[in-house]
Amino acid sequence: MALPDVIIVLAAAFVTALAALWWLGSAAGRPAAAPPGIDDMSLLFEEGQLVHGSDNALTRFALAPGYHQWEDIRDALLSRFPEFPRTPRHGATGNLTLRAEDGDSPLELRITWRDALCWLHLPQTRATEEITEETFQKLAALRRACEASPNPAWQTDAGGHIIWHNRAYGALKRKAQPDPDCGGAALFSTPSPDHPNRVCLRRSDGEKPDWYALTTTTEDNVQVYHATCINAVVAAEEAQRNFVQTLAKTFAHLSIGLAIFDRNGQLALFNPALVDLTDLPAPFLSARPTMVSFFDQLRESRRMPEPKDYKNWRHEIAEVIAAATDGRYQETWSLENGQTYSIRGRPHPDGATAFLIEDITAEVTLTRNFRAELEQSQSLLDRLEDGFAVFSASGVLTFCNAAYRARWKQDPDKSFAEITIYDAIRVWQEMSAANPLWPDVAEFVMGRGNRAGWNMPIYPHQGAPLSCEVSAIASGATLIRFRPIPIGAGRSEPTRAPSAGDRRQPSN
């Protein structure tokens, strides 16, 4: 740039500065004089361009004339002055005063304009000490950290009035629905006694409220608040509650008593069947007793077998709990009133333990009656002189009476391996005269469909002749009966049994 051009530019700037100083000092736009020792902050804009500013303002907001615009100072002050205009005022002479939403200095902002010039004035309310550039940098870093934080932060005085807040708090306040139940948290609902550090924020758009974890500290009689969004935690807790309620409704229809103890050994969940089976009062169970108290109360109500040695009772309960924790506990309790309970202990995730109590009195009674009937039938068949042997559809010996065992020296109850029809025929062949019809007996036992009974004579090496009767019974099984032939009936030669399509000789 040529020297004449430089001189012209400097002269224009000097004239502009003199005009600005004259305007600033005029009676129409001059603010009240600041008290001694107060360093106010002032900025002058022309057509939205910063052209002049006090040293205090330029240092605090890191601005430089000729390089920064109206938007730069607006971004810096918008959080404290939400009504800060988007564009500088211009035209006829006027002024505007804005109050800060927090208690930080300065408390107000004055905007005065004339034609294309717009002047910002931030009056200080107290004398400021000499501040170094390093201190200003630290303050600027702290302000940036507070404003950039995604979590709302604010401060209140002793009366509960907000004296400062960050940008995140201001954004929440603009979209939040006013809450008449607001407390010291101002924007948020009053914390509930169950969750003293948890507050709710109702939204103006009618969506689900947001939940925040509130942290409060006191410094120099000032309450400092920090809020962290915990919507995910609240949603997880709600899902867990719904899941537990669903389980409780499902367990309510079970006939098996259920008692779930948490990792601390306290009863966390039980169903109505547990009350019916144990006769334990519902208030006692609702008080969340420990495992030891639970079993101790069962013993008191005589809903578990009385221990033989009461001195070792606590030790036995400890073993029960340890076995249930490992999933090894399973016992059957026979009570004094004739009832029988099946008790099972199972470990659950997160250190929980579940006990299942089932009334199996009907099953035990039915089993006992069935076993008694079997023993009675076995005793009755053992008294018969005829030998009976029953083979399953797969050809395995499943039953025989005493006469059969005495005659053929076979007992399926004492054999390590299964006795098949082929094993039995091999014994019969060894202990009797040759008979060509033994393969037909095996074919009958292993056959399917309609099977007509037939018989044949056999002649043991020792003892009287026998009539071997082969009959089909239920479930595809076969009954083979060895009946003594009456004396004087004579000896007949064995003949081959008729085929399936021939007429078989009916059994007597």
Side-chain angles (χ1 to χ4, degrees):
M1 180 181 295
L3 181 59
D5 295 336
V6 174
I7 295 175
I8 293 173
V9 171
L10 292 177
F14 180 73
V15 172
T16 302
L18 289 177
L21 291 175
W22 170 82
W23 173 75
L24 292 175
S26 64
R30 181 181 301 159
I38 300 298
D39 187 10
D40 293 346
M41 292 183 290
S42 303
L43 296 171
L44 178 63
F45 291 85
E46 183 178 7
E47 298 292 346
Q49 180 81 21
L50 178 63
V51 296
H52 182 72
S54 64
D55 293 339
N56 192 10
L58 295 178
T59 304
R60 178 166 181 174
F61 299 110
L63 299 176
Y67 292 95
H68 289 90
Q69 309 290 330
W70 179 269
E71 290 78 8
D72 299 322
I73 189 61
R74 184 176 185 272
D75 292 340
L77 296 176
L78 185 61
S79 60
R80 299 186 59 239
F81 301 94
E83 297 180 0
F84 196 99
R86 292 183 177 273
T87 58
R89 300 298 175 93
H90 61 278
T93 300
N95 58 78
L96 174 66
T97 301
L98 303 178
R99 296 289 299 179
E101 285 197 354
D102 53 25
D104 196 9
S105 177
L107 294 177
E108 66 179 19
L109 168 64
R110 300 172 187 172
I111 304 177
T112 308
W113 63 90
R114 177 187 292 174
D115 298 331
L117 298 177
C118 186
W119 178 51
L120 298 185
H121 180 65
L122 293 95
Q124 298 284 19
T125 58
R126 63 181 183 270
T128 57
E129 299 177 356
E130 183 179 356
I131 302 177
T132 63
E133 182 178 357
E134 181 181 359
T135 304
F136 268 117
Q137 292 178 356
K138 291 181 179 179
L139 291 175
L142 291 175
R143 182 176 293 276
R144 286 193 298 270
C146 293
E147 297 300 335
S149 174
N151 298 325
W154 65 100
Q155 300 177 9
T156 61
D157 56 16
H161 303 289
I162 294 182
I163 59 177
W164 175 87
H165 65 77
N166 65 350
R167 187 177 302 172
Y169 181 92
L172 283 179
K173 187 174 182 179
R174 286 190 291 272
K175 72 176 183 180
Q177 176 182 357
D179 190 352
D181 298 329
C182 286
L187 179 63
F188 300 93
S189 301
T190 303
S192 64
D194 296 335
H195 298 282
N197 64 333
R198 184 173 295 184
V199 291
C200 174
L201 174 64
R202 293 180 175 87
R203 301 177 58 176
S204 58
D205 54 7
E207 296 292 331
K208 295 181 62 177
D210 295 326
W211 287 92
Y212 288 83
L214 187 64
T215 303
T216 307
T217 57
T218 303
E219 296 287 343
D220 298 331
N221 294 326
V222 175
Q223 293 279 47
V224 182
Y225 296 89
H226 292 85
T228 305
C229 185
I230 55 171
N231 285 341
V233 176
V234 173
E237 292 176 351
E238 183 178 359
Q240 182 182 18
R241 285 193 300 269
N242 294 336
F243 180 69
V244 172
Q245 291 176 359
T246 302
L247 288 181
K249 293 178 181 179
T250 303
F251 296 152
H253 300 285
L254 293 178
S255 60
I256 300 176
L258 176 66
I260 298 180
F261 296 86
D262 58 20
R263 63 166 66 185
N264 299 321
Q266 289 184 310
L267 183 62
L269 180 66
F270 66 94
N271 63 343
L274 184 70
V275 180
D276 298 335
L277 292 174
T278 61
D279 284 342
L280 296 179
F284 170 76
L285 297 175
S286 300
R288 302 187 64 191
T290 62
M291 288 190 192
V292 176
S293 301
F294 176 78
F295 283 101
D296 199 14
Q297 194 67 25
L298 282 181
R299 185 191 62 81
E300 292 291 340
S301 61
R302 298 186 180 277
R303 284 297 175 174
M304 70 179 300
E306 183 69 21
K308 297 180 180 179
D309 187 0
Y310 184 76
K311 294 181 180 179
N312 295 331
W313 167 246
R314 299 286 174 165
H315 179 68
E316 293 178 4
I317 288 298
E319 292 181 351
V320 169
I321 295 174
T325 304
D326 296 337
R328 297 179 288 105
Y329 183 73
Q330 184 168 356
E331 287 188 358
T332 300
W333 292 351
S334 297
L335 307 183
E336 297 177 356
N337 59 1
Q339 288 182 298
T340 303
Y341 286 173
S342 174
I343 313 297
R344 286 169 290 173
R346 294 290 183 270
H348 275 239
D350 200 21
T353 305
F355 284 93
L356 304 175
I357 302 179
E358 183 179 5
D359 187 356
I360 58 172
T361 304
E363 290 83 349
V364 171
T365 303
L366 180 62
T367 302
R368 289 173 180 173
N369 294 338
F370 182 69
R371 185 180 294 112
E373 291 178 1
L374 287 179
E375 292 176 353
Q376 184 176 8
S377 301
Q378 181 72 42
S379 177
L380 176 63
L381 291 175
D382 285 343
R383 291 186 174 274
L384 298 179
E385 295 182 357
D386 296 350
F388 291 90
V390 177
F391 292 87
S392 65
S394 59
V396 177
L397 178 61
T398 58
F399 172 81
C400 62
N401 64 349
Y404 178 88
R405 291 192 295 270
R407 167 66 66 181
W408 303 110
K409 312 301 180 186
Q410 281 186 331
D411 188 352
D413 296 335
K414 296 181 180 180
S415 176
F416 291 103
E418 294 179 340
I419 300 177
T420 65
I421 182 61
Y422 302 105
D423 299 329
I425 290 178
R426 190 179 305 110
V427 174
W428 300 341
Q429 287 176 331
E430 293 175 355
M431 299 181 65
S432 61
N435 191 329
L437 300 182
W438 289 124
D440 294 337
V441 175
E443 181 182 354
F444 185 92
V445 171
M446 303 300 295
R448 296 290 186 272
N450 265 335
R451 297 178 297 164
W454 57 281
N455 62 71
M456 66 177 182
I458 59 175
Y459 301 96
H461 296 315
Q462 296 181 355
L466 300 174
S467 174
C468 178
E469 300 177 359
V470 184
S471 306
I473 57 178
S475 302
T478 302
L479 171 64
I480 299 180
R481 178 180 181 181
F482 297 92
R483 177 187 298 180
I485 298 177
I487 300 176
R491 181 183 181 92
S492 59
E493 295 296 328
T495 57
R496 180 170 299 278
S499 62
D502 298 338
R503 184 185 303 275
R504 293 185 180 272
Q505 179 180 355
S507 60
N508 295 333

